Amino acid sequence: NYTHPQHNRYKYKLVGWDSEWFNSGVFRNGRYSNLKGGKYILKISASNNDGVWCNPDQEVALKIKVSSPFWETAWFKILFMCLFLMVIVFVIVYLQKLRSEIKERKKTKKELVKSEKKYRDLIDSTPDLRYRTDMEGKINFVSQSVFDLSGYTSEEAIGMKMAEEIY
């Protein structure tokens, strides 16, 4: 007998989540939070204004599917793993390239030192006065014969302005 619906009572249970029925009293709503993705069955039961509960075969059973948040889905995890692997590969390739550049620079520096030594030996073996200046006229290279003629040491001559100091 549901002649006074304001006195009807309700209870519900989410199979797979709740272990016991939840009595909501006269309120005809329920709320769940933090449900994991999956399939559930929501059972709802009601009593009349006399407090007589319906039979189990009269209870309402709703099938509910709760979708997982996107970060818990398989496609997102696969995408994240691919992205993570790409970052690792990028770092490895970058480090290999960096090592290769360092090796190449060391090789180039070694060749430059060797070339400079050959140049220095060639210049020092000639009796001519040879020097090189930068854009400001400061000496940045001189041959041994300039040292011999001027009396300056290499440390003293490098950085001098040729026109002001030597002549």
Side-chain angles (χ1 to χ4, degrees), residues 136-158:
E136 296 174 1
K138 292 182 180 178
I139 298 171
N140 58 20
F141 176 82
V142 290
S143 66
Q144 185 63 40
S145 52
V146 171
F147 298 137
D148 296 340
L149 181 67
S150 67
Y152 289 111
T153 65
S154 64
E155 291 81 18
E156 293 171 332
I158 302 296

Side-chain angles (χ1 to χ4, degrees), residues 39-167:
K39 295 180 180 179
Y40 299 94
I41 296 175
L42 178 65
K43 290 188 172 184
I44 304 168
S45 184
S47 71
N48 63 14
N49 55 329
D50 294 329
V52 178
W53 289 94
C54 66
N55 296 328
D57 60 334
Q58 295 174 320
E59 294 172 350
V60 175
L62 300 173
K63 292 181 181 180
I64 298 174
K65 181 181 179 192
V66 176
S67 298
S68 298
F70 72 91
W71 59 87
E72 289 182 359
T73 60
W75 66 265
F76 181 81
K77 290 176 183 178
I78 291 169
L79 180 69
F80 181 78
M81 288 303 292
C82 289
L83 184 64
F84 181 72
L85 290 173
M86 286 173 47
V87 168
I88 288 175
V89 167
F90 174 78
V91 168
I92 289 170
V93 167
Y94 177 76
L95 289 175
Q96 286 176 341
K97 184 178 178 185
L98 197 61
R99 281 189 201 129
S100 176
E101 281 185 28
I102 290 170
K103 188 176 180 181
E104 186 65 30
R105 285 183 184 185
K106 285 181 180 179
K107 181 181 175 187
T108 303
K109 185 175 181 179
K110 193 182 267 187
E111 289 172 357
L112 180 63
V113 167
K114 188 176 178 182
S115 174
E116 286 176 347
K117 184 176 179 347
K118 279 184 179 180
Y119 180 71
R120 170 61 77 181
D121 291 344
L122 178 67
I123 294 299
D124 286 344
S125 68
T126 63
D128 299 335
L129 300 175
R130 304 233 182 227
Y131 66 91
R132 186 178 60 216
T133 62
D134 61 14
M135 297 295 284
E136 296 174 1
K138 292 182 180 178
I139 298 171
N140 58 20
F141 176 82
V142 290
S143 66
Q144 185 63 40
S145 52
V146 171
F147 298 137
D148 296 340
L149 181 67
S150 67
Y152 289 111
T153 65
S154 64
E155 291 81 18
E156 293 171 332
I158 302 296
M160 290 179 156
K161 287 201 173 187
M162 188 66 173
E164 297 172 3
E165 303 292 338
I166 300 282
Y167 295 120

